[in-house]
Amino acid sequence: CAVYHEGEKVVELYSGRTQHGHPFSSQHVSTVQSISKVITGLALAILEDRGLVCYDAPIAKYWPSFGKHGKDTITVAELLSHTAGLYRFSSPKGFKFFHDRDSIVPLVEEMIPNRRGEIVYSMVVVGLIASQLVRRVDPKARYLHEFCRDEIFAPLGIEGDAIMGAPSDDFLADRYCQHPLYPSEALRLFLPESAQRALLRGRALT
């Protein structure tokens, strides 16, 4: 935890131990989970500001095959506000494909909206769709994690500390501190083991 005042860091707190028993320090990083949705929103805001995407436009405008099964009018704004009705796959088998960003595409395209218009929090699916959307509207065809690295993290000088996607095995061994809640009994209630591993390594969201 850090507190900045007028651009100067005045408080920095950290505690606990890594999964290897070493004291947690400012050099370690850990999984933050849903805060990535804030960063996803920032990435889409950058693209919107550049005129590459419109919040009120249907996602199918940029990704035509997404529009199957009544999804043709679902907007970018609905996706980001968790009102698109796309909060789970039609079949749990989709989780085994989380390690491959492109394998998830047909599963997303076959999704059928459920409870559209209601706020139904999407733990994972929104990131998968957003990443494919970013890749389709970005002139460089970058995935969400690549766009955030280049356009958000690098300009702020934090590309070594803020990571979306799966870092290298060396990074995981040297700096990563396993989140104490993952995998946990709560997570096991929602995801099979293969998806837990994917989520823990950051591969599930981007």
Side-chain angles (χ1 to χ4, degrees), residues 126-140:
V126 63
L128 298 170
I129 298 174
S131 187
Q132 293 294 331
L133 176 61
V134 168
R135 187 170 72 88
R136 285 163 170 76
V137 301
D138 175 33
K140 297 182 180 179

Side-chain angles (χ1 to χ4, degrees), residues 95-184:
F95 289 118
K96 71 180 180 180
F97 295 112
F98 274 25
H99 67 284
D100 187 335
R101 295 179 179 90
D102 290 325
S103 292
I104 212 75
V105 170
L107 295 171
V108 170
E109 293 174 351
E110 292 301 322
M111 291 179 73
I112 301 173
N114 182 35
R115 298 171 64 184
R116 182 180 175 184
E118 299 181 40
I119 298 177
V120 183
Y121 184 71
S122 171
M123 183 174 73
V124 174
V125 176
V126 63
L128 298 170
I129 298 174
S131 187
Q132 293 294 331
L133 176 61
V134 168
R135 187 170 72 88
R136 285 163 170 76
V137 301
D138 175 33
K140 297 182 180 179
R142 291 168 291 185
Y143 286 100
L144 177 61
H145 73 286
E146 296 168 325
F147 183 89
C148 290
R149 179 196 62 207
D150 298 343
E151 304 290 345
I152 301 175
F153 303 149
L156 293 173
I158 59 172
E159 67 270 30
D161 296 314
I163 299 171
M164 295 182 76
S168 66
D169 289 337
D170 289 341
F171 181 93
L172 289 171
D174 294 340
R175 297 191 59 200
Y176 179 71
C177 180
Q178 181 172 307
H179 193 292
L181 299 181
Y182 296 95
S184 68

